[in-house]
Amino acid sequence: MNILILGGGGREHALAWAVMQNPKCDKLIVAPGNAGIAEIADCATLDIENGAAVVAFCEENAIEFVIIGPEAPLAAGVADRLRDAGLLVFGPDAAAARLEASKAFTKEICDATGAPTAAYARFTDAAAARDYINTQGAPIVVKADGLAAGKGVIVAETVDQALEAIDDMFGGEFGEAGAEVVIEEFMQGEEASFFVLVDGEDVLPIGTAQDHKRVGEGDTGPNTGGMGAYSPAPILTDAVAQEALDRIIRPTVAELARRGTPYRGVLYAGLMIQNGKPRLVEYNVRFGDPEAQVLMLRMGAQALDLMQAAAAGQLAECRVNWADDHAMTVVMAADGYPGAYEKGSVINGLEDLPETSNEICFHARTSRRDGRFVASGGRVLNVTARGESLSQARERVYDMIDRIDWPEGFCRRDIGWRAL
Ligand code: AMP
Ligand code: GLY
């Protein structure tokens, strides 16, 4: 089978790695890919948010299956165009991708299904939003409705912070994404992520994870795209998972099918868990980054069979072959991230790292210069390992990190502390 993966971060490196483990894969192209992905697959330049361009590329390259990594092409309707052209696609159509592309839409689905989530109100007018915040008080959460590259959520500890967020959003800081604002009750509890595959109708759980969003050790400092993750998440017990499936995820999938916009792909539910009860924080319509790195290492080659079954509407016949294992990924970032950082520093030692079914260094933002790997973004490497226990996985990860020679990079040394 000839396969195309859209995207070029650590998530897509992990997806590409898992796909390449499966003998079913004859040819793999990743667009745009990165220097690490180029070690295992062909990389191509392609406008991945342009459905017509992706369809033409698939025809030229005899592609049979397309896996869409990031949310932007999904929200732009690339999966719709590919399905119209008769291709097998992993990822939802634009209408179902609204679960991530519009926070107000997700709230509407929760209202329709009675799924437990934070109380909320939605506004297109700043004065009404301010009145609501003044009545509700703080803490309170202010969200731009649309896609804002992970930056559109303000957890305000004071009323003033919330009012400032309203000014920023209606002042255009997030462009169109902030034209509507959702204001939510602040939920207490511990967060964890639940990943399921969906084929329009059937739902198959494929794992749980927790990530660390703050840049500093002890979960301090500014928010980032994620500094590390581990799977499974101990807080997401079988009982919590069952309740999330019964009260949140299956009703969502059924409601979308009922509306004639069935969901196909991976559905990533961010849950807030308190006293053993899950509530929905948000949906994402793609794998998490860096959560995909730990999920793919745990699943290996079967990930391709499962994604293909989800795309083809055949999940009912599928089972996940679980190993009783644990995985961890630690992000190495360029000094200064998530603030200003330099690009182009040389990373040595990557060629000598182990690359086994237990240990692998996925690349997020690297390129090649004069034959050497250089950093080309903020979050650069995802050093990933699995083991019989989380502490064994952790030991393997930090052993690898100690062998990477990159003076201009840093990582958190305490990933997994909550679970260890
Ligand atoms: P989101 O982009 O919706 O995942 O929001 C980013 C982060 O903000 C989440 O991972 C939570 O840590 C936090 N958050 C979002 N909504 C709420 C809420 N209603 N209560 C508490 N924390 C929240
Ligand atoms: N790691 C969080 C995300 O991918 O949204």
Side-chain angles (χ1 to χ4, degrees), residues 11 211 213 225-226 268 282 284 286-291 379:
R11 167 181 51 210
D211 72 347
K213 288 214 165 66
Y268 157 0
E282 60 157 359
N284 294 303
R286 45 158 179 96
F287 282 107
D289 191 346
E291 291 86 343
R379 290 190 299 164

Side-chain angles (χ1 to χ4, degrees), residues 334-389:
D335 282 341
Y337 175 82
Y341 55 81
E342 304 262 316
K343 288 186 187 174
S345 52
V346 174
I347 308 169
N348 285 309
L350 296 178
E351 289 82 356
D352 305 325
L353 291 181
E355 198 175 315
T356 69
S357 59
N358 288 326
E359 294 151 299
I360 181 164
C361 176
F362 294 119
H363 291 220
R365 290 284 177 269
T366 60
S367 52
R368 283 272 195 185
R369 196 179 64 214
D370 306 328
R372 298 156 95 184
F373 287 110
V374 299
S376 58
R379 290 190 299 164
V380 176
L381 299 171
N382 307 138
V383 185
T384 310
R386 65 181 188 134
E388 285 165 25
S389 63

Side-chain angles (χ1 to χ4, degrees), residues 332 348-349 353 383 394-406 411 413:
M332 293 190 78
N348 285 309
L353 291 181
V383 185
R394 178 185 187 283
E395 233 163 81
R396 286 177 170 157
V397 165
Y398 285 106
D399 277 350
M400 280 199 281
I401 285 178
D402 291 338
R403 292 160 66 171
I404 296 172
D405 173 17
W406 181 30
C411 69
R413 286 267 159 191

